[in-house]
Amino acid sequence: QIPGDHSLWDFGGHVHLDRRAPGEVELLPSSISNFCKAFEGQSAFFARSEIQELGSRLQKVARPVADHLRPRAHNSGHTTLVHGDFKGANYFLSAQGTGCVGIDWQWTGPGIGATDLIYLFCGSVEDEIVEDYNRYLKLYYETLKVEGYSDEEFFSDFKVAALDYARWAFSVRLVGDTPEKFQKRAADVDVNLGYFRRHVPRVQWLLQLVEDFLPEAESGRLFFRKRSE
């Protein structure tokens, strides 16, 4: 449990809808469509009309997605301390192979741990990690061992976190991007820029998650509430 007088942010992270400038979410339909059209030559995936039209669907669920992730009574048993900028550049691993030190706790506060995981998956890890991401979600969940927080609820929280992250990525970081910009970033790597900003397969992976998870969000099945409510 996190003490009420923790003096941190009321909730952790900077990508959440309530942390963003008004009007950003309005960019989603055009941003995703334009990105896909620009990258059609990189993969046939981006040429699919269903993918190009994800922006308007993601925009419509942005509010319930954000509400689900805010630490409140409905998810009090799911809340932990989140870093808020959980990328490789903010962590140092021991040269001996064990141990880890984190820095840059600027956005730390209570939140849903899955928001840190999708941030890490999109921004830092190798392809083989995200290709088997369920394995690493299971490892995190089993290590967390929170009584009363089922694996189904945890995975649902991850789905919601992925939709929230994609909303931010396509309304802020990927707006107006082109293959040429990706190539330039890949040639001159800045570790503070997420992997998804220079590695096209990572964006494809994220959009595939959006396509997979949206139906549950649109139906409302994705959003858990306490049984007493």
Side-chain angles (χ1 to χ4, degrees), residues 42-96:
Q42 304 287 310
S43 170
F45 173 86
F46 297 109
R48 292 177 51 213
S49 60
E50 297 90 345
I51 301 302
Q52 295 183 5
E53 295 167 3
L54 286 176
S56 59
R57 296 174 62 193
L58 191 57
Q59 181 184 30
K60 290 176 182 177
V61 301
R63 184 71 264 164
V65 161
D67 290 343
H68 180 88
L69 294 173
R70 282 291 293 264
R72 293 191 175 111
H74 72 274
N75 58 17
S76 59
H78 306 183
T79 302
T80 186
L81 193 66
V82 299
H83 182 280
D85 195 8
F86 198 60
K87 59 188 177 185
N90 285 336
Y91 284 84
F92 296 87
L93 301 178
S94 170
Q96 284 69 43

Side-chain angles (χ1 to χ4, degrees), residues 204-223:
Q204 181 172 329
W205 176 80
L206 177 60
L207 282 175
Q208 185 62 69
L209 294 189
V210 172
E211 184 180 32
D212 292 345
F213 299 162
L214 265 174
E216 286 184 86
E218 290 167 328
S219 70
R221 296 194 308 272
L222 195 54
F223 308 119

Side-chain angles (χ1 to χ4, degrees), residues 155-229:
F155 190 45
S156 290
D157 282 344
F158 175 78
K159 292 178 181 180
V160 180
L163 295 176
D164 193 60
Y165 187 92
R167 184 266 314 150
W168 168 77
F170 278 98
S171 60
V172 181
R173 294 292 188 240
L174 297 174
V175 176
D177 262 350
T178 63
E180 292 73 26
K181 290 181 179 179
F182 266 55
Q183 291 165 9
K184 184 176 180 179
R185 294 184 197 124
D188 185 17
V189 173
D190 179 348
V191 295
N192 282 302
L193 296 183
Y195 200 33
F196 73 100
R197 298 186 67 189
R198 63 180 184 272
H199 187 57
V200 178
R202 192 57 48 88
V203 183
Q204 181 172 329
W205 176 80
L206 177 60
L207 282 175
Q208 185 62 69
L209 294 189
V210 172
E211 184 180 32
D212 292 345
F213 299 162
L214 265 174
E216 286 184 86
E218 290 167 328
S219 70
R221 296 194 308 272
L222 195 54
F223 308 119
F224 278 80
R225 293 294 181 266
K226 288 186 178 295
R227 293 186 180 89
S228 61
E229 293 181 351

Side-chain angles (χ1 to χ4, degrees), residues 6 11 16 45 62 82 106 112 120 124 128 132 138 160 178 187 201-202 206 227:
H6 52 68
F11 65 96
H16 189 280
F45 173 86
V82 299
Q106 177 185 359
I112 302 300
L120 182 69
S124 300
E128 52 264 33
D132 194 18
K138 183 178 180 181
V160 180
T178 63
R202 192 57 48 88
L206 177 60
R227 293 186 180 89

